[in-house]
Amino acid sequence: MTQHFPTRQLRFFLTAPTPCPYLPGREERKVFAHLPLSDGPIVNDSLTQVGFRRSQNIAYRPACETCRACQSARAPAAEYILSRSERKILGRNDDLERHLVEAEATLEQFELLRRYLLARHADGGMAEMTWPDYVAMVEDTAVRTHLIEYRRKSLDRGPGDLVACVLVDVLADGLSLVYSFYEPDQPRRSLGSFIILDHIVQAQQNALPYVYLGYWVPGSEKMAYKARFSPLEILKPGGWSLMSARERGARPPRGPGALKDACDLPLSDAQPADIEDLD
């Protein structure tokens, strides 16, 4: 059941235009609000359902003036039937064990994140992330959240090698994948897809309706992988609806949208000169 909250308790801000990281020649803007400490989980639930994403104690969504390409995406877990190729991905990672841990940063996780960023996103907004930045990303929040660590099965009593990690919010209607990272030199595992598929399985096992995947940007190679998951729902002006086969191959529409997924640009670092108060 959706829980409502008085919107007047939230103060919304609008960022200044910056170059879009996904669609060349376009600019992005975000509208965001600070999640309240007292009702953070309820507010996060409600805002996620209408297209917001979380970064630390901030919820944000696209507010671009000339582009509507960025669309929220979620997988309906109950209706999701794994394809043959998806079952193979799960099988190739059968040697990994899933460990749910508290949202507390460790140096082991941070070292894995650094290897991932340097190999996959060396020119991205998170490439210069420091240890304090990572601690804030994981621990600075008042919502229901945790980390899932994927480790090789240990041959002794100690923990196995850390292969992948994902920060996950637990919502009233599902799981929201905030940010994931993994060993970049093991392409055969398809670890990015594996993490999504494993969370669909977790949602099914716990009778949770959805797995929220963040923003899908048609026309962006960086975001194209999300359209491979089916069924997939996207958020339109009239509400959530199943992505059609035509939309999976669509070029980006014109007219609010493209922004970085998850925590690529922490809005907590925005300076007063870069934002407009919408209260």
Side-chain angles (χ1 to χ4, degrees), residues 93 95-100 112 147-153 160-166 168 177 180-183 191 194-199 202:
N93 291 281
D95 62 325
L96 300 182
E97 293 182 329
R98 179 202 307 148
H99 297 267
L100 189 155
L112 175 61
L147 288 162
I148 294 290
E149 295 181 339
Y150 295 95
R151 295 179 177 273
R152 289 190 178 90
K153 294 178 181 178
D161 294 337
L162 181 64
V163 174
C165 189
V166 56
V168 185
L177 305 187
S180 63
F181 50 96
Y182 45 84
E183 286 291 358
L191 286 167
F194 166 69
I195 290 171
I196 292 174
L197 294 171
D198 185 63
H199 278 78
Q202 290 181 57

Side-chain angles (χ1 to χ4, degrees), residues 15 22 42 48 56 65 98 113 116 128-129 160 176 221 228 234 239 244-245 264 270 276:
T15 64
Y22 291 113
I42 295 175
T48 300
Q56 298 175 225
E65 297 175 352
R98 179 202 307 148
L113 173 65
Y116 170 79
E128 301 303 321
M129 177 174 278
S176 177
E221 294 183 3
R228 296 198 297 266
I234 54 176
S244 67
D264 280 2
E276 300 173 16

Side-chain angles (χ1 to χ4, degrees), residues 72-175:
S72 296
R74 68 185 186 185
E79 292 80 23
Y80 204 98
I81 299 176
L82 296 172
S83 68
R84 182 180 178 183
S85 62
E86 289 172 337
R87 291 195 300 271
K88 286 183 176 180
I89 290 174
L90 291 176
R92 287 199 295 268
N93 291 281
D94 191 49
D95 62 325
L96 300 182
E97 293 182 329
R98 179 202 307 148
H99 297 267
L100 189 155
V101 298
E102 296 293 329
E104 297 178 357
T106 69
L107 286 173
E108 183 185 25
Q109 296 163 4
F110 180 65
E111 290 169 358
L112 175 61
L113 173 65
R114 292 300 305 158
R115 293 195 297 273
Y116 170 79
L117 291 174
L118 291 175
R120 297 295 186 92
H121 304 286
D123 58 346
M126 294 181 67
E128 301 303 321
M129 177 174 278
T130 64
W131 166 247
D133 294 332
Y134 178 67
V135 172
M137 184 179 85
V138 172
E139 300 182 6
D140 186 10
T141 182
V143 307
R144 298 180 295 265
T145 192
H146 61 250
L147 288 162
I148 294 290
E149 295 181 339
Y150 295 95
R151 295 179 177 273
R152 289 190 178 90
K153 294 178 181 178
S154 177
L155 299 177
D156 52 31
R157 294 186 178 181
D161 294 337
L162 181 64
V163 174
C165 189
V166 56
L167 181 64
V168 185
D169 287 351
V170 181
L171 310 176
D173 67 344
L175 304 172

